[in-house]
């Protein structure tokens, strides 16, 4: 999955110094593909997750992802 640097930056860090450093580094790269370590770090350090493409229809995968994340203690903000 490829994300613009500001997307990951917005959800990735709760520390202003880390945000500035991360934004500076990523702005030089343009787009990139997150690896497993980055995803694990974001999930470990974040308590609030924005779920892009969220659905209230039970048969959709995004509905399952949202309920699972909530059960794991995350605050999930649906983005449509």
């Amino acid at each position: 999955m490829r994300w613009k640097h500001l997307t990951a930056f917005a959800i990735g860090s709760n520390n202003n110094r880390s945000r500035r450093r991360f934004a500076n580094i990523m702005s030089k790269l343009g787009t990139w593909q997150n690896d497993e370590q980055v995803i694990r770090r974001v999930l470990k350090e974040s308590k609030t997750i924005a779920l892009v493409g969220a659905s209230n229809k039970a048969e959709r995968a995004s509905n399952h992802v949202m309920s699972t994340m909530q059960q794991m203690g995350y605050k999930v903000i649906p983005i449509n």
Side-chain angles (χ1 to χ4, degrees):
M1 172 185 309
R2 292 197 176 271
W3 292 351
K4 285 288 218 181
H5 68 338
L6 292 178
T7 304
F9 163 73
I11 65 171
S13 176
N14 293 324
N15 178 307
N16 284 334
R17 183 175 177 211
S18 294
R19 286 181 185 185
R20 286 190 303 273
R21 183 171 176 260
F22 184 74
N24 183 39
I25 293 168
M26 291 301 122
S27 67
K28 295 174 185 173
L29 297 177
T31 60
W32 79 96
Q33 185 167 351
N34 282 323
D35 62 19
E36 189 174 330
Q37 287 181 332
V38 172
I39 295 168
R40 286 183 187 279
R41 183 185 56 79
V42 168
L43 291 174
K44 183 178 178 183
E45 294 178 3
S46 302
K47 301 297 180 205
T48 302
I49 303 291
L51 180 61
V52 178
S55 174
N56 60 359
K57 295 180 180 177
E59 65 274 7
R60 300 232 172 131
S62 61
N63 182 280
H64 177 71
V65 169
M66 185 166 183
S67 59
T68 300
M69 297 295 290
Q70 288 172 329
Q71 290 171 7
M72 295 174 69
Y74 291 94
K75 176 181 178 185
V76 182
I77 301 170
I79 307 293
N80 292 320

